[in-house]
Amino acid sequence: MFHRANLRNNSKNGRSQVGQNRNSKKKPVAKLTLITEDNESFTVCKKVAEMSMFFKNMLQDTEGIPAPFIVPNVSGYDLKKIIEYCSYHCLDTDCPNDNDSLRSRRDRKIGHWDETFVRNIINKDGDPVIDNLVGLTKAAYFLDIPGLIWLMTKSIANTIDPKPIAEIREIFNVPVPSEREEEILQR
Amino acid sequence: MTPHGRLVTNEGPEPPPDAIPYELLAQIFSHLQSPANLYACAHVCRRLTLTALTIIYYRHSFASRDAHAGFETDDAGAEEDGVANVGNVEVIAAANPTTPRSTFAHGTMVRRLTLAAEPLRLSRKAIRSASPAPAPAIRLEKSPSPDAVFHRQKRYPHRNPLPYLHWPRPLELCDLTDAALRPVVPTPNAPRLRTLNLDGCVRVADSARLRVSVSTQPCAESACPGARLGRGATSRTSHCASSSAQSHSERPGPTPCPIDPPLRLAPPPCLPDRRRRRRLLTFPLRPPFTAPDSSLLRTLIFTRLVVLEDPAVLGLVTHCPRIRTLLLTRWGALSGVPTMYVGRFGKSL
């Protein structure tokens, strides 16, 4: 493993050196600084950020890299996981990231990496699983990442699949309705 | 605007700030395959109801066998029986022998189930609650459409309950076994089975068909209103493309069984395909009526019956003296013997 890692590093360095020699005038990789609502800052490259339609449109509109951008409604943990997802899938052609292809491949299954990704969300510090899932879903929805939204919604659906009503209420954080409301629902 | 000046919008209730948006809810629910889960989500709150019901009604058919296999019941006991108890209503479902199916937890919302995956087998568990169900009327039928349809209807809530089974789909393989019909034995508190329409039943076990109204234990069982299904020696099967029976009977008192067990039945023909099965029709010695007392039987409808054997006619005349309506629209051959027997009905027929 050590040798392999060294080899990889060497090869990467070699490639990068060769690349630098060949394209010495190439622009540096554009990076974007994001600040979450709880004041955590993340630096991501443009390609990763462009997985999010929100950032993609913003970058197109501003025609350049804006100053550190404050991302409201997204916590540090959520943004970290989003960056993790986007960095893996930004080069993945098998994983569609637009709504049309997601609709056309409705019956697709969750990939191995995605499954591990979701499992890691679940295992985070023993926190309630579903809260993290829902929070990450909302963050993905805010940042408009179709692939991640699909993955999160699918995971939530799998979670609530065999659950009774009371547990679904807990998952969605819905208070227990009054008797009258329940009667209306039953109707 | 309403007369009170309020703005009327078609949108749902205002979501709380930390709630999941409607679009996300719709996406989550779109991943749920089982309608049972969708119904469960629809019962959580109004917001979820609005989203889930849209998807439920968008999926107009439950034709997928997998989707149907996901139906679950609330408690373990009901799960065993394949019956979901929701409030005072029991819902029955047609069950497939290979894939046990049961109704989903919120059976009160069921109006129509399409079970088009394959020919159905009416199982004992499925029919168990047909008669003792506290619901006023339960209808189990296979529709004339390609799909088999399961209807549950509530009718006449203030009148005398009239539960009935209806199976009018012709030439669709349905096994109605004796064991399946045996649970239709009513309890004293339950409404009795008045009508058993097996119009589309191709394959019916003899004992089930013949003993549908025969009370084998006259003393206690016949006092209980309703049909008593005995489980006698079940010869394998005989076939009828359609045999429907309707009985409109008055409430009888405790009478002994008027009919003896069947002596001999027509041998079951080997029928490789449906066409042949349709041609070679036999009819049992006695009609498959469901009245507790066959002498009270007034109406018999055999709309697709092709062959009615002489002993059957004799049995009909002997055991159903009050018959007023006998509908035999496809009866192919009429020999002298049945004509004579049927003629005994006289003007009243």
mmCIF file of all heavy atoms in Angstrom, chain B residues 151-180:
data_model
loop_
_atom_site.group_PDB
_atom_site.id
_atom_site.type_symbol
_atom_site.label_atom_id
_atom_site.label_comp_id
_atom_site.label_asym_id
_atom_site.label_seq_id
_atom_site.Cartn_x
_atom_site.Cartn_y
_atom_site.Cartn_z
ATOM 1 N N HIS B 151 -63.718 -5.601 -5.541
ATOM 2 C CA HIS B 151 -64.554 -4.505 -5.080
ATOM 3 C C HIS B 151 -65.001 -4.738 -3.657
ATOM 4 O O HIS B 151 -65.372 -5.838 -3.287
ATOM 5 C CB HIS B 151 -65.817 -4.429 -5.941
ATOM 6 C CG HIS B 151 -65.645 -3.564 -7.147
ATOM 7 N ND1 HIS B 151 -65.584 -2.210 -7.073
ATOM 8 C CD2 HIS B 151 -65.518 -3.888 -8.438
ATOM 9 C CE1 HIS B 151 -65.438 -1.727 -8.296
ATOM 10 N NE2 HIS B 151 -65.387 -2.731 -9.140
ATOM 11 N N ARG B 152 -64.953 -3.725 -2.978
ATOM 12 C CA ARG B 152 -65.565 -3.787 -1.662
ATOM 13 C C ARG B 152 -66.545 -2.628 -1.587
ATOM 14 O O ARG B 152 -66.209 -1.501 -1.844
ATOM 15 C CB ARG B 152 -64.493 -3.640 -0.597
ATOM 16 C CG ARG B 152 -65.032 -3.663 0.787
ATOM 17 C CD ARG B 152 -63.943 -3.343 1.771
ATOM 18 N NE ARG B 152 -64.558 -2.795 2.954
ATOM 19 C CZ ARG B 152 -64.877 -1.522 3.062
ATOM 20 N NH1 ARG B 152 -64.629 -0.694 2.095
ATOM 21 N NH2 ARG B 152 -65.435 -1.095 4.156
ATOM 22 N N GLN B 153 -67.732 -2.937 -1.316
ATOM 23 C CA GLN B 153 -68.733 -1.884 -1.340
ATOM 24 C C GLN B 153 -69.487 -1.861 -0.029
ATOM 25 O O GLN B 153 -69.755 -2.881 0.574
ATOM 26 C CB GLN B 153 -69.737 -2.126 -2.464
ATOM 27 C CG GLN B 153 -69.136 -1.948 -3.830
ATOM 28 C CD GLN B 153 -70.176 -2.164 -4.889
ATOM 29 O OE1 GLN B 153 -71.241 -2.690 -4.600
ATOM 30 N NE2 GLN B 153 -69.879 -1.767 -6.084
ATOM 31 N N LYS B 154 -69.831 -0.689 0.308
ATOM 32 C CA LYS B 154 -70.721 -0.527 1.459
ATOM 33 C C LYS B 154 -72.067 -0.056 0.917
ATOM 34 O O LYS B 154 -72.155 0.982 0.268
ATOM 35 C CB LYS B 154 -70.177 0.544 2.384
ATOM 36 C CG LYS B 154 -69.155 0.062 3.364
ATOM 37 C CD LYS B 154 -68.831 1.182 4.295
ATOM 38 C CE LYS B 154 -67.891 0.736 5.373
ATOM 39 N NZ LYS B 154 -67.586 1.813 6.292
ATOM 40 N N ARG B 155 -73.030 -0.822 1.175
ATOM 41 C CA ARG B 155 -74.358 -0.427 0.733
ATOM 42 C C ARG B 155 -75.363 -0.738 1.823
ATOM 43 O O ARG B 155 -75.167 -1.645 2.625
ATOM 44 C CB ARG B 155 -74.753 -1.191 -0.527
ATOM 45 C CG ARG B 155 -74.113 -0.629 -1.778
ATOM 46 C CD ARG B 155 -74.690 -1.323 -2.972
ATOM 47 N NE ARG B 155 -74.056 -0.854 -4.185
ATOM 48 C CZ ARG B 155 -74.302 -1.361 -5.375
ATOM 49 N NH1 ARG B 155 -75.160 -2.325 -5.497
ATOM 50 N NH2 ARG B 155 -73.701 -0.890 -6.435
ATOM 51 N N TYR B 156 -76.421 -0.027 1.749
ATOM 52 C CA TYR B 156 -77.541 -0.253 2.661
ATOM 53 C C TYR B 156 -77.063 -0.379 4.109
ATOM 54 O O TYR B 156 -77.222 -1.411 4.737
ATOM 55 C CB TYR B 156 -78.309 -1.534 2.287
ATOM 56 C CG TYR B 156 -78.606 -1.659 0.816
ATOM 57 C CD1 TYR B 156 -78.094 -2.719 0.096
ATOM 58 C CD2 TYR B 156 -79.368 -0.722 0.170
ATOM 59 C CE1 TYR B 156 -78.354 -2.847 -1.251
ATOM 60 C CE2 TYR B 156 -79.635 -0.834 -1.183
ATOM 61 C CZ TYR B 156 -79.124 -1.896 -1.894
ATOM 62 O OH TYR B 156 -79.378 -2.017 -3.227
ATOM 63 N N PRO B 157 -76.493 0.659 4.621
ATOM 64 C CA PRO B 157 -75.983 0.534 5.992
ATOM 65 C C PRO B 157 -77.078 0.347 7.033
ATOM 66 O O PRO B 157 -76.835 -0.185 8.099
ATOM 67 C CB PRO B 157 -75.240 1.855 6.191
ATOM 68 C CG PRO B 157 -75.818 2.778 5.206
ATOM 69 C CD PRO B 157 -76.268 1.971 4.036
ATOM 70 N N HIS B 158 -78.293 0.802 6.694
ATOM 71 C CA HIS B 158 -79.363 0.700 7.689
ATOM 72 C C HIS B 158 -80.261 -0.509 7.450
ATOM 73 O O HIS B 158 -81.169 -0.755 8.206
ATOM 74 C CB HIS B 158 -80.209 1.968 7.672
ATOM 75 C CG HIS B 158 -79.370 3.190 7.847
ATOM 76 N ND1 HIS B 158 -78.634 3.431 8.997
ATOM 77 C CD2 HIS B 158 -79.088 4.213 7.012
ATOM 78 C CE1 HIS B 158 -77.984 4.557 8.868
ATOM 79 N NE2 HIS B 158 -78.232 5.056 7.677
ATOM 80 N N ARG B 159 -80.043 -1.198 6.368
ATOM 81 C CA ARG B 159 -80.904 -2.334 6.082
ATOM 82 C C ARG B 159 -80.263 -3.637 6.542
ATOM 83 O O ARG B 159 -79.167 -3.658 7.083
ATOM 84 C CB ARG B 159 -81.185 -2.404 4.581
ATOM 85 C CG ARG B 159 -81.965 -1.223 4.076
ATOM 86 C CD ARG B 159 -82.284 -1.433 2.629
ATOM 87 N NE ARG B 159 -82.736 -0.202 2.021
ATOM 88 C CZ ARG B 159 -82.948 -0.046 0.729
ATOM 89 N NH1 ARG B 159 -82.730 -1.050 -0.088
ATOM 90 N NH2 ARG B 159 -83.361 1.092 0.247
ATOM 91 N N ASN B 160 -80.969 -4.663 6.233
ATOM 92 C CA ASN B 160 -80.434 -5.971 6.558
ATOM 93 C C ASN B 160 -79.156 -6.207 5.755
ATOM 94 O O ASN B 160 -79.131 -5.996 4.543
ATOM 95 C CB ASN B 160 -81.482 -7.025 6.193
ATOM 96 C CG ASN B 160 -81.188 -8.330 6.876
ATOM 97 O OD1 ASN B 160 -80.474 -8.346 7.878
ATOM 98 N ND2 ASN B 160 -81.726 -9.386 6.352
ATOM 99 N N PRO B 161 -78.112 -6.591 6.378
ATOM 100 C CA PRO B 161 -76.853 -6.731 5.635
ATOM 101 C C PRO B 161 -76.926 -7.791 4.542
ATOM 102 O O PRO B 161 -77.575 -8.819 4.698
ATOM 103 C CB PRO B 161 -75.858 -7.140 6.718
ATOM 104 C CG PRO B 161 -76.675 -7.594 7.846
ATOM 105 C CD PRO B 161 -77.970 -6.884 7.790
ATOM 106 N N LEU B 162 -76.308 -7.496 3.479
ATOM 107 C CA LEU B 162 -76.324 -8.410 2.326
ATOM 108 C C LEU B 162 -74.912 -8.605 1.807
ATOM 109 O O LEU B 162 -74.497 -7.983 0.839
ATOM 110 C CB LEU B 162 -77.214 -7.836 1.228
ATOM 111 C CG LEU B 162 -77.352 -8.660 -0.049
ATOM 112 C CD1 LEU B 162 -78.197 -9.883 0.204
ATOM 113 C CD2 LEU B 162 -77.962 -7.809 -1.147
ATOM 114 N N PRO B 163 -74.162 -9.410 2.449
ATOM 115 C CA PRO B 163 -72.834 -9.675 1.894
ATOM 116 C C PRO B 163 -72.919 -10.651 0.726
ATOM 117 O O PRO B 163 -73.734 -11.557 0.729
ATOM 118 C CB PRO B 163 -72.088 -10.302 3.063
ATOM 119 C CG PRO B 163 -73.139 -10.891 3.894
ATOM 120 C CD PRO B 163 -74.416 -10.148 3.663
ATOM 121 N N TYR B 164 -72.106 -10.457 -0.209
ATOM 122 C CA TYR B 164 -72.136 -11.379 -1.329
ATOM 123 C C TYR B 164 -70.766 -11.448 -1.989
ATOM 124 O O TYR B 164 -69.958 -10.548 -1.883
ATOM 125 C CB TYR B 164 -73.192 -10.992 -2.345
ATOM 126 C CG TYR B 164 -73.054 -9.603 -2.900
ATOM 127 C CD1 TYR B 164 -72.374 -9.376 -4.079
ATOM 128 C CD2 TYR B 164 -73.608 -8.528 -2.235
ATOM 129 C CE1 TYR B 164 -72.255 -8.106 -4.583
ATOM 130 C CE2 TYR B 164 -73.491 -7.258 -2.732
ATOM 131 C CZ TYR B 164 -72.815 -7.045 -3.911
ATOM 132 O OH TYR B 164 -72.685 -5.794 -4.401
ATOM 133 N N LEU B 165 -70.568 -12.532 -2.624
ATOM 134 C CA LEU B 165 -69.348 -12.716 -3.403
ATOM 135 C C LEU B 165 -69.736 -12.731 -4.871
ATOM 136 O O LEU B 165 -70.698 -13.372 -5.256
ATOM 137 C CB LEU B 165 -68.685 -14.045 -3.045
ATOM 138 C CG LEU B 165 -68.135 -14.162 -1.639
ATOM 139 C CD1 LEU B 165 -67.752 -15.592 -1.377
ATOM 140 C CD2 LEU B 165 -66.947 -13.272 -1.469
ATOM 141 N N HIS B 166 -68.998 -12.058 -5.636
ATOM 142 C CA HIS B 166 -69.319 -11.948 -7.047
ATOM 143 C C HIS B 166 -68.071 -12.249 -7.858
ATOM 144 O O HIS B 166 -67.033 -11.653 -7.626
ATOM 145 C CB HIS B 166 -69.815 -10.528 -7.324
ATOM 146 C CG HIS B 166 -70.443 -10.411 -8.680
ATOM 147 N ND1 HIS B 166 -70.604 -9.218 -9.319
ATOM 148 C CD2 HIS B 166 -70.959 -11.337 -9.489
ATOM 149 C CE1 HIS B 166 -71.175 -9.428 -10.495
ATOM 150 N NE2 HIS B 166 -71.404 -10.694 -10.614
ATOM 151 N N TRP B 167 -68.195 -13.156 -8.780
ATOM 152 C CA TRP B 167 -67.004 -13.583 -9.517
ATOM 153 C C TRP B 167 -67.384 -13.759 -10.969
ATOM 154 O O TRP B 167 -67.426 -14.860 -11.486
ATOM 155 C CB TRP B 167 -66.510 -14.905 -8.914
ATOM 156 C CG TRP B 167 -65.065 -15.138 -9.133
ATOM 157 C CD1 TRP B 167 -64.481 -15.852 -10.131
ATOM 158 C CD2 TRP B 167 -64.001 -14.660 -8.348
ATOM 159 N NE1 TRP B 167 -63.126 -15.842 -10.005
ATOM 160 C CE2 TRP B 167 -62.811 -15.121 -8.917
ATOM 161 C CE3 TRP B 167 -63.930 -13.869 -7.200
ATOM 162 C CZ2 TRP B 167 -61.571 -14.828 -8.382
ATOM 163 C CZ3 TRP B 167 -62.700 -13.581 -6.681
ATOM 164 C CH2 TRP B 167 -61.543 -14.063 -7.264
ATOM 165 N N PRO B 168 -67.668 -12.680 -11.655
ATOM 166 C CA PRO B 168 -68.310 -12.818 -12.955
ATOM 167 C C PRO B 168 -67.378 -12.951 -14.143
ATOM 168 O O PRO B 168 -67.840 -13.042 -15.268
ATOM 169 C CB PRO B 168 -69.106 -11.522 -13.081
ATOM 170 C CG PRO B 168 -68.282 -10.543 -12.351
ATOM 171 C CD PRO B 168 -67.531 -11.283 -11.290
ATOM 172 N N ARG B 169 -66.110 -12.922 -13.922
ATOM 173 C CA ARG B 169 -65.207 -12.954 -15.076
ATOM 174 C C ARG B 169 -65.230 -14.341 -15.717
ATOM 175 O O ARG B 169 -64.844 -15.341 -15.085
ATOM 176 C CB ARG B 169 -63.799 -12.630 -14.614
ATOM 177 C CG ARG B 169 -62.749 -12.813 -15.679
ATOM 178 C CD ARG B 169 -62.722 -11.684 -16.634
ATOM 179 N NE ARG B 169 -61.637 -11.878 -17.573
ATOM 180 C CZ ARG B 169 -61.691 -11.464 -18.815
ATOM 181 N NH1 ARG B 169 -62.758 -10.861 -19.264
ATOM 182 N NH2 ARG B 169 -60.674 -11.634 -19.605
ATOM 183 N N PRO B 170 -65.652 -14.444 -16.942
ATOM 184 C CA PRO B 170 -65.746 -15.762 -17.548
ATOM 185 C C PRO B 170 -64.381 -16.257 -18.012
ATOM 186 O O PRO B 170 -63.520 -15.480 -18.407
ATOM 187 C CB PRO B 170 -66.663 -15.539 -18.737
ATOM 188 C CG PRO B 170 -66.466 -14.114 -19.080
ATOM 189 C CD PRO B 170 -66.121 -13.390 -17.821
ATOM 190 N N LEU B 171 -64.269 -17.525 -17.991
ATOM 191 C CA LEU B 171 -63.119 -18.215 -18.552
ATOM 192 C C LEU B 171 -61.787 -17.737 -17.997
ATOM 193 O O LEU B 171 -60.788 -17.710 -18.670
ATOM 194 C CB LEU B 171 -63.103 -18.080 -20.078
ATOM 195 C CG LEU B 171 -64.196 -18.835 -20.784
ATOM 196 C CD1 LEU B 171 -64.104 -18.607 -22.252
ATOM 197 C CD2 LEU B 171 -64.119 -20.308 -20.468
ATOM 198 N N GLU B 172 -61.820 -17.339 -16.814
ATOM 199 C CA GLU B 172 -60.550 -17.009 -16.184
ATOM 200 C C GLU B 172 -60.340 -18.026 -15.071
ATOM 201 O O GLU B 172 -61.220 -18.260 -14.260
ATOM 202 C CB GLU B 172 -60.573 -15.607 -15.616
ATOM 203 C CG GLU B 172 -59.238 -15.200 -15.110
ATOM 204 C CD GLU B 172 -59.018 -13.710 -15.259
ATOM 205 O OE1 GLU B 172 -59.912 -13.033 -15.756
ATOM 206 O OE2 GLU B 172 -57.958 -13.263 -14.892
ATOM 207 N N LEU B 173 -59.197 -18.564 -15.061
ATOM 208 C CA LEU B 173 -58.988 -19.698 -14.170
ATOM 209 C C LEU B 173 -59.055 -19.249 -12.715
ATOM 210 O O LEU B 173 -58.260 -18.466 -12.248
ATOM 211 C CB LEU B 173 -57.625 -20.325 -14.447
ATOM 212 C CG LEU B 173 -57.346 -21.597 -13.679
ATOM 213 C CD1 LEU B 173 -58.321 -22.672 -14.103
ATOM 214 C CD2 LEU B 173 -55.930 -22.032 -13.905
ATOM 215 N N CYS B 174 -60.019 -19.767 -12.067
ATOM 216 C CA CYS B 174 -60.153 -19.459 -10.650
ATOM 217 C C CYS B 174 -60.394 -20.772 -9.935
ATOM 218 O O CYS B 174 -61.274 -21.522 -10.311
ATOM 219 C CB CYS B 174 -61.335 -18.552 -10.385
ATOM 220 S SG CYS B 174 -61.334 -17.097 -11.362
ATOM 221 N N ASP B 175 -59.653 -21.001 -8.953
ATOM 222 C CA ASP B 175 -59.880 -22.183 -8.152
ATOM 223 C C ASP B 175 -60.698 -21.796 -6.940
ATOM 224 O O ASP B 175 -60.279 -20.965 -6.153
ATOM 225 C CB ASP B 175 -58.539 -22.759 -7.676
ATOM 226 C CG ASP B 175 -57.879 -23.548 -8.765
ATOM 227 O OD1 ASP B 175 -58.374 -23.470 -9.894
ATOM 228 O OD2 ASP B 175 -56.884 -24.216 -8.493
ATOM 229 N N LEU B 176 -61.802 -22.370 -6.859
ATOM 230 C CA LEU B 176 -62.597 -22.165 -5.661
ATOM 231 C C LEU B 176 -62.685 -23.512 -4.978
ATOM 232 O O LEU B 176 -63.408 -24.395 -5.409
ATOM 233 C CB LEU B 176 -63.981 -21.638 -6.029
ATOM 234 C CG LEU B 176 -64.838 -21.236 -4.854
ATOM 235 C CD1 LEU B 176 -64.250 -20.035 -4.174
ATOM 236 C CD2 LEU B 176 -66.239 -20.926 -5.308
ATOM 237 N N THR B 177 -61.934 -23.656 -3.970
ATOM 238 C CA THR B 177 -61.850 -24.964 -3.335
ATOM 239 C C THR B 177 -62.840 -25.054 -2.183
ATOM 240 O O THR B 177 -63.370 -24.050 -1.716
ATOM 241 C CB THR B 177 -60.438 -25.209 -2.800
ATOM 242 O OG1 THR B 177 -60.172 -24.205 -1.838
ATOM 243 C CG2 THR B 177 -59.417 -25.147 -3.902
ATOM 244 N N ASP B 178 -63.001 -26.241 -1.774
ATOM 245 C CA ASP B 178 -63.895 -26.456 -0.648
ATOM 246 C C ASP B 178 -63.359 -25.765 0.597
ATOM 247 O O ASP B 178 -64.082 -25.131 1.352
ATOM 248 C CB ASP B 178 -64.014 -27.957 -0.408
ATOM 249 C CG ASP B 178 -64.964 -28.266 0.703
ATOM 250 O OD1 ASP B 178 -66.028 -27.628 0.732
ATOM 251 O OD2 ASP B 178 -64.656 -29.129 1.514
ATOM 252 N N ALA B 179 -62.065 -25.876 0.758
ATOM 253 C CA ALA B 179 -61.449 -25.234 1.914
ATOM 254 C C ALA B 179 -61.606 -23.723 1.852
ATOM 255 O O ALA B 179 -61.680 -23.051 2.875
ATOM 256 C CB ALA B 179 -59.978 -25.601 1.979
ATOM 257 N N ALA B 180 -61.665 -23.230 0.652
ATOM 258 C CA ALA B 180 -61.814 -21.792 0.508
ATOM 259 C C ALA B 180 -63.200 -21.342 0.919
ATOM 260 O O ALA B 180 -63.379 -20.296 1.527
ATOM 261 C CB ALA B 180 -61.539 -21.383 -0.932
#
